[in-house]
């Protein structure tokens, strides 16, 4: 596995309906500031934080999967030189949720280790992907999930795991839960990439090309567990995770990050 390339994968197919209208794609909403070469400040967009954390883990190549119309994302990041990365852009063909969005990258990532994060999320610690990739390399896991504490299970994919980090259950957005941790980022091997590709194809074949609901990625991970894939967890007890996709959380993010680089 050491010889496999690690590729970042960012699903950006959403319409940001809960915070619309926006002047830009939500992944480009300015949150805080960054310093440039002359030490002056520039706005820092949401997606920049995720890409920085991937770059810190040594990831130099990433694909963002877009829905048609979100052309401002490639216009902003271009070839990725802003982050010293090589960036490419793919277009979704099936509007059935993030799992299908990610699967659009299958021909480009099927032989690589994938590091996946949502580009409208802010999280800590900064070395989260470093730690996930280290666990993946040191174990025989097919997937390693990055876990963050939450008190809002209805908004998250909650994870049941043991003291050794073995994941047994992923439950998407339960109304209530005694579980403490949600998953927010992930890394996986080609084994899971192939499983997801075949699993989604099977769902489409059984549903006349129109799934009855959007399929969360957590449901695909649970299907992998049910089919014998090994999923492990790297928990960040002091970690934070903030989705900017609702007005209250967007306000909170702007306030928290406004003075970070000043």
């Amino acid at each position: 596995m050491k010889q496999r390339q690690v590729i970042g994968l960012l699903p950006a197919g959403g319409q940001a309906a809960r915070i619309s209208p926006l002047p830009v794609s939500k992944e480009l909403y300015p949150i805080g500031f960054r310093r440039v070469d002359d030490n002056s400040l520039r706005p820092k967009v949401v997606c920049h934080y995720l890409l920085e954390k991937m770059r810190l883990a040594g990831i130099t190549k990433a694909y963002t999967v877009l829905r048609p119309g979100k052309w401002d994302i490639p216009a902003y990041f271009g070839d990725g030189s802003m982050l010293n990365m090589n960036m490419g852009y793919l277009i979704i063909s099936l509007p059935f949720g993030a799992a299908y969005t990610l699967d659009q990258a299958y021909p480009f990532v099927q032989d690589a280790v994938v590091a996946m994060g949502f580009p409208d999320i802010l999280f800590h610690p900064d070395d989260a992907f470093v730690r996930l990739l280290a666990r993946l390399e040191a174990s025989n896991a097919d997937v390693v999930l990055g876990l963050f504490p939450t008190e809002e299970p209805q908004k998250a994919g909650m994870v049941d795991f043991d003291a050794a980090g073995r994941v047994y259950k992923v439950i998407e957005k339960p109304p209530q839960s005694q579980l403490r941790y949600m998953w927010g980022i992930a890394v996986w091997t080609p084994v899971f990439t192939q499983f997801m590709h075949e699993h989604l194809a099977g769902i489409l074949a059984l549903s006349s090309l129109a799934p009855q609901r959007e399929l969360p990625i957590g449901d695909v991970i649970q299907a992998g567990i049910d089919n014998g894939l090994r999923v492990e967890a790297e928990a960040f007890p002091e970690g934070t995770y903030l989705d900017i996709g609702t007005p209250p959380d967007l306000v909170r993010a702007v306030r928290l990050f406004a003075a970070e680089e000043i």
Side-chain angles (χ1 to χ4, degrees):
M1 192 183 71
K2 290 183 179 180
Q3 298 179 351
R4 287 194 186 120
Q5 185 179 26
V6 182
I7 299 178
L9 193 54
L10 292 69
Q15 300 187 37
R18 295 174 297 176
I19 53 174
S20 293
L22 289 174
V24 293
S25 294
K26 66 176 177 176
E27 294 82 4
L28 296 185
Y29 198 89
I31 303 288
F33 299 89
R34 62 186 177 92
R35 293 194 179 274
V36 295
D37 292 340
D38 65 357
N39 207 34
S40 62
L41 292 173
R42 298 290 188 274
K44 189 171 183 178
V45 302
V46 175
C47 187
H48 195 120
Y49 292 93
L50 171 64
L51 290 166
E52 270 188 337
K53 291 175 174 61
M54 288 184 172
R55 189 66 189 86
L56 183 65
I59 299 168
T60 59
K61 182 177 182 179
Y63 290 106
T64 301
V65 190
L66 314 166
R67 65 173 175 82
K70 300 181 82 166
W71 313 126
D72 53 348
I73 296 177
Y76 181 83
F77 284 110
D79 62 2
S81 57
M82 179 191 303
L83 288 138
N84 194 26
M85 297 179 74
N86 297 307
M87 293 184 62
Y89 307 91
L90 305 169
I91 308 301
I92 61 172
S93 61
L94 297 173
F96 304 139
Y100 287 94
T101 298
L102 291 171
D103 189 54
Q104 192 69 27
Y106 172 77
F108 304 93
V109 303
Q110 59 182 310
D111 297 320
V113 170
V114 169
M116 192 282 296
F118 298 98
D120 56 350
I121 300 296
L122 300 163
F123 67 87
H124 286 98
D126 289 341
D127 67 346
F129 281 111
V130 175
R131 292 160 65 175
L132 263 63
L133 289 169
R135 188 179 187 104
L136 189 70
E137 183 176 334
S139 69
N140 62 348
D142 301 300
V143 182
V144 176
L145 302 176
L147 305 189
F148 302 85
T150 183
E151 296 180 358
E152 299 180 300
Q154 73 279 6
K155 297 169 62 176
M158 303 304 293
V159 179
D160 187 9
F161 63 105
D162 64 21
R166 182 72 180 265
V167 174
Y168 295 100
K169 198 78 174 176
V170 178
I171 307 170
E172 283 291 332
K173 299 181 179 180
Q176 297 179 347
S177 179
Q178 294 183 339
L179 299 174
R180 182 186 172 200
Y181 284 93
M182 58 166 281
W183 78 274
I185 59 174
V187 299
W188 61 71
T189 70
V191 172
F192 181 72
T193 299
Q194 186 65 35
F195 172 83
M196 180 163 62
H197 184 66
E198 295 176 0
H199 181 71
L200 297 178
I203 292 174
L204 288 177
L206 293 173
S207 58
S208 301
L209 301 179
Q212 298 301 307
R213 63 181 180 91
E214 289 194 359
L215 183 68
I217 305 169
D219 285 5
V220 182
I221 295 170
Q222 182 60 49
I225 294 171
D226 295 341
N227 280 272
L229 271 62
R230 185 177 183 90
V231 178
E232 295 190 6
E234 182 73 19
F236 306 116
E238 305 302 322
T240 61
Y241 192 88
L242 180 58
D243 181 350
I244 70 150
T246 64
D249 287 335
L250 179 57
V251 170
R252 182 182 170 203
V254 171
R255 288 175 174 170
L256 283 174
F257 285 80
E260 187 169 89
E261 293 295 336
I262 298 177

